[in-house]
């Protein structure tokens, strides 16, 4: 992810969850207020990839298809005009680690309160909790709207 040190970057984690969509909307509004740019980061990680056993899933992940899916999600959530102003990145790795690296030098890191996995009763997802404790910039954690 190339960076211009003079721009005010707002980094947001997007994982397809309702709270990540709210985080994306929040990031766009905030970037508009501070004259910043939004970088949406989606992270993919194959379960079982790290450890002593072989992966239990197909290793052939189509990155271009994943990028197109993310672009469609951005458009669905933000509309075409706004989505076109968002820089999107699809990165392989551990979600918390990738977001922490992406947020280095950023104005703020924005994440949803809960991702797609975990326990429904948990107040924070593991990624949002980890980045809130280790980020080098301010972190905003956004909850999904109650339905």
């Amino acid at each position: 992810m190339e960076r211009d040190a003079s721009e005010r970057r707002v980094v947001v984690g997007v994982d397809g969850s309702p709270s990540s969509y709210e985080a994306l909307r929040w990031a766009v509004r905030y970037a508009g207020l501070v004259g910043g740019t939004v970088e949406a980061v989606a992270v993919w990680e194959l379960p079982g990839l790290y450890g002593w056993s072989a992966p239990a899933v197909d290793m052939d992940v189509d990155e271009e298809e994943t990028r197109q899916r993310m672009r469609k999600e951005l458009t669905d959530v933000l509309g075409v005009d706004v989505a076109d102003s968002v820089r999107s990145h699809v990165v392989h790795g551990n979600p918390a680690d990738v977001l922490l690296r992406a947020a280095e030098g950023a104005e703020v890191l924005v994440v949803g309160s809960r991702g797609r996995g975990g326990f429904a009763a948990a107040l924070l997802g593991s990624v949002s909790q980890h980045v809130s404790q280790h980020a080098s910039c301010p972190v905003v954690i956004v909850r999904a709207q109650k339905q």
Side-chain angles (χ1 to χ4, degrees), residues 3 6-8 11 15 17 23 27 35 40 43 56 70 81 111-112 117 125-126 130-131 141 143:
R3 299 186 180 125
S6 65
E7 70 182 352
R8 298 178 87 169
V11 176
D15 68 359
S17 68
V43 184
M70 182 178 182
D81 293 337
V111 293
S126 59
H130 186 85
V131 300
I141 300 172
R143 294 179 66 179

Side-chain angles (χ1 to χ4, degrees), residues 56-130:
V57 295
D58 186 359
M59 292 290 291
D60 294 328
V61 174
D62 187 338
E63 286 191 57
E64 184 55 35
E65 181 181 322
T66 303
R67 289 181 208 291
Q68 290 173 2
R69 226 178 13 243
M70 182 178 182
R71 200 79 201 115
K72 181 180 180 336
E73 283 186 7
L74 293 177
T75 301
D76 291 348
V77 172
L78 301 172
V80 175
D81 293 337
V82 177
D84 285 345
S85 70
V86 173
R87 296 178 188 160
S88 62
H89 306 280
V90 177
V91 182
H92 174 261
N94 174 278
D97 292 342
V98 169
L99 289 173
L100 289 171
R101 280 195 313 274
E104 289 174 3
E107 174 92 5
V108 65
L109 171 60
V110 187
V111 293
S113 61
R114 297 218 8 87
R116 301 186 75 166
F119 300 98
L123 295 176
L124 285 180
S126 59
V127 172
S128 57
Q129 185 171 10
H130 186 85

